[in-house]
Amino acid sequence: MPVPHKLRALSFLLIASATILNVKIASAQTAVNLKGFNKTSGVVIKTTGSKIDLSWPTGAAQHGRVVLDLDKNNPLFKSIQATSKGIYKEVASNLNPEFILTIGKRDLISQNGWNIFFDRVPTKPFKAYHAEMIDKQNASVKTAGSRTIVSLGNIQADRFSGHIEMTFYNGSPLFNVAAVMSTGIDSTAVVYDAGLVSNNPSWSKIGWAKTDDKFNNIEFNAADSSRNVMVKYRTIIGQTANGSLAVFPAPHQYFYPLDEAFNLKFTWYGTNYRKLIPGYGIGIRQDLYGDRRFVPWFNAPPGTKQRMNFFCMVSVADGAGVLSDVKKFTRNDKYQPLPGYKTMASHFHNEYTTTVLLKGKPAEDEPEYVRVFKNLGVNIVHLAEFHGAGHPKGPDESRLKELNTLFKECEKESHGNFLLLPGEEPNEFFGGHWLEFFPKPVYWVMSRKDGVPFVADDARYGNVYHIRDKDDMLKLLETENGLAWTAHARTKGSTGYPDKYKDEAFYKSAHFNGAAWKNIPGDLSTERMGRRVFELMDDMNNWGLKKKVLAESDIFTITQENEMYAHVNVNYLKMDKLPEFKNGWQPVLDVLKSGNFFATSGEVLLPTFKVNGAEAGSTIKVKDPAKAMVDFSVKWTYPLNFAELITGDGKNVYHQRINLNNTTAFGDKSFHVPVNLKGKKWIRLEVWDAAVNGAFTQTVWLN
């Protein structure tokens, strides 16, 4: 019997409604927003029930794969895989990313607000919180250049709340896991620990590199209580029958500023970590008490998105094999030689002169601290001795003996492709803290009594200078062709400087070179490290005095065991060869004074930077400012994030951002960028990568 027309229509509507309902049910099960995902990115996404199955190209016809489980009752990483000869092998399974936030109080009153370093956060009340995954809703997958970002859930730790963000990088078996969290509470300082944890782990071994660079394996034991481990390369590795999974932090950003580079056991493994995370995990950690000096932790200003994150690398190789791949991102913790450049590190209070040589202790043929610098790939080391030690103001006999001992030690260690150069942080006469750098051994005393001449001839040491005030100090810099610059400007002992003396004659002199850059304060919400100094650099540029900014480290003890790479920054000076110590090292100062160098954390290199053909430090006249060209080249390890051309007109600062998130790991590229310089007086360049490692040039000046 034929179905009536109205009944057929009703049946169709019921079937259609049921179909739509089923689609909605399926969608609710996966709850994944794919609107921002580019299907042509090379990444494959499959959503089934509560699962997101993501595979991405890791290079040379290889792929990585993760299966994410959005069911709140299940581990987030159901499976982590890598290919071997085109076949997926499950390396790890049933892992949850876990985070502990330790929250303390920032002192914003006593010194200089958020730029404070002289804070002792762990001496004030603080508390640790396990970041709880409230749910895994609001999941989304989006494409951002060469990377795929998965965001999901609500995560909370006391006053902080946010979401989980995972970033997968095309061309590399690298991915990043972050708890992106904010607070509305002011005056907050934080540190975080993190890792991958399982209630039913599948590891067979746990591995790491010991500080002597030898790889170490231990057999997995699920009952092992958590243990903090001193490692090299900041990496802990879980191994299974099918491969290895490495966990490690950003190599510099993760380390809040300290006076020492002590290796404070920055990794952990085992069960019930800090009695806050049940289950067995591997991960990264911070020592709450740092070097027991000033311990500022990280800034967390209200409303900022703090990225508490760590990196992972998945591989079918064993632990030593995956570590070898991890090390490539920091070039084995070395500063790579670059044709036409020499590397220089500055501001070290090692005090070897006063603690060893002048005390008559046994001295090695080559001291450990020299070996450390050579192993890092540093060609030139500028010391800052007698910082709180020695007799800078005399008596003369003691002071001159100390200088003579320092000069002899520097000459002894300076040979081949290495120069150890004397320097001090006098902190007299000018105001604040500053460094001096002379092109040869100079004997001087930081006091001059009435009747004592500015300079006198000494039978043993030759010219000896006595300095009474800022005018004498400037005269000494002029006489001996030395340089000075502000150490840790606008923070520490230089709070308020160089601003307070920017109109002084000594500051306006060409012998006062500018300031120095270090990542103070630490802030996990920023895309670059050391913003304090870049703001100063732009201010100095707009003041019009053609100052420079070099990288500084400002640390004390230097040993093989230390975590040196995380705390050292270098300058690549444009020079083909090193001068011999006996002839003086004026060429080194000439490069610093000219500005023909770039500074870097090590991962990003800038072999060339030219504005209409002129190199950094130059002063040029541009015929057609509206059609100027900037040419620069970059070598990198981690995928890049962005480059930025910063310009100024003497009053305002302008930023021209070049998005580089389409880059993959380990690249080398030249850029030809048009820029409108009409009305501008200067221009400089910064480049930053996905791990917040970066490099910056000095300024080109425009007439």
Side-chain angles (χ1 to χ4, degrees):
M1 183 177 180
V3 180
H5 176 73
K6 289 184 178 180
L7 189 57
R8 289 200 308 270
L10 180 60
S11 299
F12 175 79
L13 288 172
L14 288 171
I15 294 170
S17 298
T19 302
I20 292 171
L21 183 61
N22 286 336
V23 170
K24 288 183 176 179
I25 290 172
S27 177
Q29 287 176 326
T30 55
V32 182
N33 182 346
L34 297 174
K35 290 182 179 179
F37 174 65
N38 180 358
K39 294 181 180 179
T40 65
S41 64
V43 176
V44 177
I45 300 287
K46 298 176 183 178
T47 59
T48 307
S50 64
K51 310 292 192 304
I52 301 175
D53 189 325
L54 181 154
S55 62
W56 78 102
T58 57
Q62 300 299 311
H63 288 78
R65 180 185 183 190
V66 296
V67 179
L68 304 173
D69 194 334
L70 303 187
D71 187 323
K72 185 179 182 296
N73 298 313
N74 297 330
L76 178 59
F77 287 100
K78 179 177 177 58
S79 183
I80 300 175
Q81 305 172 21
T83 54
S84 173
K85 299 180 180 179
I87 300 173
Y88 279 108
K89 301 285 187 180
E90 184 173 79
V91 173
S93 61
N94 298 317
L95 294 168
N96 258 329
E98 301 284 5
F99 299 85
I100 294 174
L101 270 66
T102 305
I103 304 173
K105 179 75 172 176
R106 167 66 71 239
D107 174 3
L108 296 178
I109 305 300
S110 67
Q111 294 162 63
N112 54 341
W114 290 107
N115 279 335
I116 189 173
F117 174 83
F118 292 144
D119 202 356
R120 291 185 169 97
V121 178
T123 65
K124 296 172 284 186
F126 66 85
K127 189 173 181 180
Y129 300 88
H130 177 208
E132 181 183 356
M133 179 72 79
I134 305 300
D135 60 53
K136 299 178 185 176
Q137 296 177 5
N138 303 314
S140 67
V141 182
K142 68 177 182 180
T143 304
S146 65
R147 52 216 71 174
T148 303
I149 303 172
V150 181
S151 301
L152 56 86
N154 297 299
I155 188 169
Q156 187 168 345
D158 186 54
R159 69 199 68 174
F160 282 84
S161 60
H163 65 277
I164 293 292
E165 189 172 279
M166 292 159 283
T167 305
F168 301 88
Y169 302 93
N170 279 7
S172 174
L174 183 75
F175 61 98
N176 182 269
V177 183
V180 184
M181 307 180 78
S182 299
T183 180
I185 306 298
D186 204 2
S187 307
T188 300
V190 298
V191 289
Y192 75 94
D193 304 345
L196 295 172
V197 179
S198 176
N199 289 325
N200 186 25
S202 56
W203 309 122
S204 58
K205 295 178 181 178
I206 306 297
W208 62 87
K210 296 190 292 186
T211 56
D212 63 4
D213 217 1
K214 294 179 181 177
F215 193 79
N216 183 67
N217 265 330
I218 65 161
E219 296 297 323
F220 166 74
N221 183 345
D224 281 345
S225 297
S226 68
R227 175 187 171 194
N228 304 331
V229 193
M230 185 181 293
V231 307
K232 191 171 174 63
Y233 309 113
R234 305 157 296 279
T235 303
I236 192 84
I237 301 164
Q239 301 168 71
T240 65
N242 289 331
S244 304
L245 183 66
V247 174
F248 53 100
H252 304 280
Q253 185 207 35
Y254 184 60
F255 298 86
Y256 60 82
L258 293 170
D259 284 328
E260 296 280 9
F262 295 148
N263 191 320
L264 299 173
K265 299 183 178 180
F266 297 110
T267 64
W268 63 273
Y269 71 88
T271 61
N272 199 22
Y273 177 64
R274 288 184 69 179
K275 298 181 181 180
L276 288 171
I277 304 179
Y280 188 102
I282 58 174
I284 62 172
R285 65 174 296 276
Q286 280 287 3
D287 189 294
L288 303 183
Y289 297 91
D291 58 13
R292 273 60 178 176
R293 293 164 64 92
F294 294 100
V295 185
W297 293 5
F298 293 104
N299 284 346
T304 58
K305 293 182 179 181
Q306 299 293 318
R307 294 193 83 257
M308 275 69 81
N309 72 96
F310 59 92
F311 285 90
C312 299
M313 180 175 286
V314 60
S315 173
V316 294
D318 63 9
V322 74
L323 180 61
S324 178
D325 288 336
V326 171
K327 289 160 57 178
K328 292 176 183 176
F329 283 95
T330 58
R331 302 187 177 93
N332 295 330
D333 281 15
K334 295 180 185 294
Y335 301 103
Q336 178 178 305
L338 197 60
Y341 288 88
K342 296 297 179 184
T343 55
M344 173 186 162
S346 177
H347 200 156
F348 298 97
H349 304 298
N350 191 43
E351 304 297 353
Y352 186 77
T353 304
T354 54
T355 60
V356 177
L357 299 178
L358 289 169
K359 288 190 175 181
K361 294 182 179 180
E364 297 179 89
D365 289 339
E366 183 175 76
E368 181 182 17
Y369 78 97
V370 172
R371 297 196 299 273
V372 169
F373 285 124
K374 289 182 176 179
N375 289 338
L376 283 169
V378 177
N379 304 126
I380 307 166
V381 175
H382 174 227
L383 297 173
E385 293 285 70
F386 313 128
H387 186 61
H391 302 81
K393 295 185 177 183
D396 285 11
E397 181 180 354
S398 298
R399 166 65 171 172
L400 300 180
K401 180 181 179 181
E402 289 162 358
L403 286 173
N404 183 254
T405 304
L406 171 63
F407 298 153
K408 285 183 176 179
E409 172 63 14
C410 287
E411 183 170 17
K412 169 181 168 288
E413 304 302 338
S414 296
H415 50 81
N417 204 29
F418 183 76
L419 272 179
L420 182 66
L421 300 180
E424 295 182 73
E425 187 177 8
N427 307 334
E428 298 284 344
F429 315 121
F430 291 159
H433 287 201
W434 55 280
L435 265 68
E436 53 89 332
F437 197 20
F438 291 108
K440 64 179 183 179
V442 173
Y443 290 91
W444 64 296
V445 183
M446 299 180 200
S447 66
R448 180 154 72 94
K449 297 178 181 178
D450 291 343
V452 175
F454 169 71
V455 60
D457 182 60
D458 182 273
R460 181 176 180 186
Y461 300 112
N463 283 346
V464 173
Y465 298 90
H466 286 80
I467 307 303
R468 172 183 289 146
D469 53 25
K470 61 186 178 183
D471 296 325
D472 276 358
M473 191 66 231
L474 175 57
K475 186 177 179 181
L476 173 60
L477 291 170
E478 293 171 340
T479 302
E480 293 292 352
N481 205 22
L483 290 178
W485 57 82
T486 310
H488 41 73
R490 293 179 174 174
T491 190
K492 299 184 79 172
S494 292
T495 297
Y497 297 97
D499 307 70
K500 291 180 181 179
Y501 53 55
K502 70 183 181 67
D503 296 320
E504 295 270 6
F506 69 80
Y507 182 78
K508 292 182 178 181
S509 164
H511 293 276
F512 201 99
N513 215 41
W517 170 77
K518 180 180 177 175
N519 186 31
I520 306 175
D523 188 325
L524 298 164
S525 71
T526 61
E527 295 180 299
R528 69 195 84 205
M529 295 186 295
R531 185 175 62 185
R532 161 190 59 92
V533 183
F534 295 121
E535 292 172 351
L536 170 63
M537 191 176 189
D538 296 336
D539 287 344
M540 291 193 300
N541 285 343
N542 274 339
W543 297 342
L545 297 177
K546 299 185 180 181
K547 300 302 181 185
K548 286 80 182 179
V549 170
L550 73 159
E552 69 176 347
S553 298
D554 192 7
I555 52 179
F556 287 71
T557 312
I558 301 165
T559 70
Q560 290 286 154
E561 186 179 83
N562 277 5
E563 179 47 72
M564 294 297 297
Y565 186 76
H567 292 276
V568 173
N569 310 301
V570 296
N571 307 281
Y572 277 74
L573 308 188
K574 195 72 176 294
M575 54 193 309
D576 292 321
K577 64 179 182 178
L578 296 180
E580 292 187 61
F581 187 97
K582 64 181 181 180
N583 297 325
W585 45 94
Q586 185 66 53
V588 176
L589 278 73
D590 289 343
V591 175
L592 291 176
K593 192 173 182 180
S594 73
N596 201 355
F597 65 96
F598 68 88
T600 177
S601 60
E603 297 76 11
V604 180
L605 303 178
L606 303 175
T608 59
F609 168 65
K610 295 182 179 180
V611 180
N612 278 18
E615 295 184 318
S618 301
T619 300
I620 62 173
K621 184 173 181 63
V622 181
K623 291 183 179 179
D624 189 351
K627 297 181 179 180
M629 296 300 303
V630 174
D631 292 278
F632 64 95
S633 60
V634 188
K635 294 172 68 72
W636 66 88
T637 58
Y638 286 88
L640 295 178
N641 190 9
F642 67 95
E644 201 160 82
L645 291 167
I646 300 99
T647 59
D649 58 12
K651 182 178 180 181
N652 300 304
V653 178
Y654 307 88
H655 299 262
Q656 181 175 328
R657 188 180 177 112
I658 304 162
N659 188 351
L660 298 177
N661 67 6
N662 61 336
T663 57
T664 56
F666 305 107
D668 186 347
K669 185 177 179 180
S670 295
F671 296 84
H672 187 63
V673 182
V675 58
N676 185 350
L677 296 178
K678 187 175 181 179
K680 306 299 192 300
K681 295 185 176 181
W682 54 268
I683 181 171
R684 63 182 187 85
L685 170 72
E686 296 177 26
V687 181
W688 296 90
D689 72 18
V692 198
N693 308 305
F696 63 95
T697 70
Q698 299 306 299
T699 303
V700 170
W701 301 90
L702 312 170
N703 278 337

